[in-house]
Amino acid sequence: MSGFALGSAFDSKSGQMIMVALLLMVGTFYAGTLFGNNGPIYVSELPSNSSSSSPSSFSTGTSTFTNKVALTYRKTPLLIPETGMNVCPVTFNEYIPCHDVSYIKSLLPNLDVSRKEELERHCPPLEKRLFCLIPPPEDYKIPIQWPTSRDFVWRSNVNHTRLAEVKGGQNWVHEKNQLWWFPGGGTHFKHGAPEYIQRLGNMATSETGDLRSAGVVQVLDVGCGVASFSAYLLPLDIQTMSFAPKDGHENQIQFALERGVGTMISALATKQLPYPSSSFEMVHCSRCRVDWHENDGILLKEVNRLLRSNGYFVYSAPPAYRKDKDYPLIWNKLVNLTSAMCWKLIARKVQTAIWVKQENQACLLDNAKQKLLNICDAVNDSKPSWNTPMRNCIQVISGQTNIQKLHTRAERLSVYSESLSKIDINEKEFSSDTLFWQDQVRLYWRLMNISKTEIRNVMDMNAFCGGFAVALNTLPVWVMNIVPVSTKNTLSAIYDRGLIGAFHDWCEPFSTYPRTYDLLHADHLFSLYNNQVEGCLLEDIMLEMDRMIRPQGFIIIRDVESIASRIQDLAPKFLWEVTSHSAKNKENNAETVLLCRKKFWAIV
């Protein structure tokens, strides 16, 4: 058992606890309780009795699956072979269409690399998108269940050693035989996130409380690494929207999602982040590799857009404490930029500085007169932040919404947001939606017939007001609430409820790795995109669902009968099991509910 020896940063008691956890994991693996069924069905790239280079079919025992292994691109008109969706070669097991390095390299001459535009989403045209099922890597296993997955994941599921090599000394991640172990460290908290989080709480409250008592409910973690900061905020019931680019630490988001922590691929560069204004009580940067002082502080102005009034900007980086190199110059620039935005520096110690965003109109207007900043022209708050260029200005907001007077997340879950009244969603519709999804979640779990711990990563692909996520609140899950950009902007209300999510257009693939969700929920999503242009067809969305869902993961689809029937016919070609059920919709009429489950298959 020497392969599981612990690093010197942790005491023997911690080591004993981890040893017990590992023994439990080994025992339950063979009992089939913690990990589920780890046996895939297989496809050979060449039939055993053939020397031909032509694509082959799936086989397991006496069963044969006719899907072929063949690198296939999207064509117009779209056509799915009678043999079923083709399967991409195993080398494409981490394919992320809108963050494809080879495609982005071809765009570099036209990108502003000084602002890191290459790290943003760049979706290829249809003819350059793969149109085949993304296979799992060699020796892929059904992921370890939460909460064990916070600390351990299968090495073969994210088989990359670079982060362990370059960040092991900071206790991001260590290799332990067949597992990756996450001790809970980070670049500025190598002795563990809990101690760091408590220190931030002390700094924000003048040593009188923690982050929760400081009013923090939602955090945006910039350049999140493997998301240990987010994972250890959960005991405080603080929800974190964590993101990082696909850069030199390219698999950090994959590690985080494999652990069961809410993250997505994104970058602060030239466009606004896909989150609504005034959504977070804290924006956190711990060595996040963002040059806040450059380009007239435009990235800090984006932080200002996202922070609620009296929200905190936490900055743990060398300019906050080092006096060598050009760090003092950078610090002075940060002080000038934040002062111009009327932020107040409330603490600076132990390698960290914390500012508070003060909603001081008089200060902002006075600084604008002195040409220290620009005031933004009035904008339509109902317009989603999607492919929107960043603005080098500050939006002046008058008044405060009632959400800022609430202190606990439990209160926020049931609050009717004022933002809904602006888009003609009244309190009755809001309350009805909340009650409806509580009933439906109970139905879903009966249909899936699984334990509560088998689902961790959930995405609601057409979230409306977030009622589905609220209904899941008592379960050990986190939910990515997606508001399609063609619908009403309800994402502000979702954040007002203490939930997290993002804007997205399902005509494009999502910014996540393959195999990152246990449950996808699509309530009339296909109807929303019915009769849309190429790239938004039913088959395109099904392919993206298949890319995002884990083997043995569930996809629940509610839609009109014609669409449900079409999906039911296509599901076997995607190697999904599917059953059809009838349930009542919000108008108490019968509606089709499809329960799909992705088969666990692999190429050998």
Side-chain angles (χ1 to χ4, degrees), residues 7-150:
S8 59
F10 298 88
D11 59 26
S12 59
K13 184 176 180 180
S14 298
Q16 292 170 2
M17 292 174 63
I18 293 173
M19 288 296 294
V20 170
L22 288 169
L23 291 171
L24 173 64
M25 288 162 58
V26 171
T28 51
F29 172 76
Y30 288 107
T33 57
L34 183 61
F35 302 92
N37 177 12
N38 273 268
I41 57 177
Y42 293 100
V43 55
S44 298
E45 294 202 67
L46 287 176
S48 58
N49 60 350
S50 171
S51 60
S52 169
S53 60
S54 61
S56 66
S57 61
F58 283 86
S59 63
T60 173
T62 58
S63 301
T64 299
F65 299 85
T66 57
N67 303 66
K68 309 296 183 182
V69 177
L71 184 61
T72 309
Y73 289 88
R74 176 67 158 79
K75 295 180 180 179
T76 302
L78 185 150
L79 178 65
I80 295 179
E82 286 299 319
T83 54
M85 284 290 296
N86 288 339
V87 175
C88 301
V90 73
T91 51
F92 292 89
N93 69 83
E94 292 181 358
Y95 177 62
I96 310 171
C98 298
H99 299 272
D100 182 32
V101 174
S102 59
Y103 174 68
I104 292 174
K105 280 183 178 179
S106 69
L107 304 178
L108 284 178
N110 298 315
L111 299 179
D112 187 348
V113 294
S114 69
R115 293 184 61 187
K116 300 184 179 180
E117 189 179 4
E118 72 277 8
L119 297 179
E120 294 181 318
R121 290 171 53 85
H122 298 282
C123 301
L126 277 183
E127 65 272 13
K128 293 187 178 181
R129 291 187 201 174
L130 295 186
F131 195 73
C132 43
L133 303 179
I134 303 301
E138 183 180 351
D139 198 27
Y140 179 85
K141 298 176 177 63
I142 296 300
I144 295 170
Q145 292 177 12
W146 184 268
T148 309
S149 64
R150 187 196 71 174

Side-chain angles (χ1 to χ4, degrees), residues 7 23 36 50 61-62 82 148 176-177 188 201 247 255 259 357 370 385 437 487 492 554:
L23 291 171
S50 171
T62 58
E82 286 299 319
T148 309
K176 300 294 179 186
N177 288 358
H188 272 271
D247 58 5
F255 276 114
R259 297 175 72 185
K357 172 189 173 181
Q370 298 182 50
S385 302
W437 288 116
T487 64
S492 294
F554 291 90

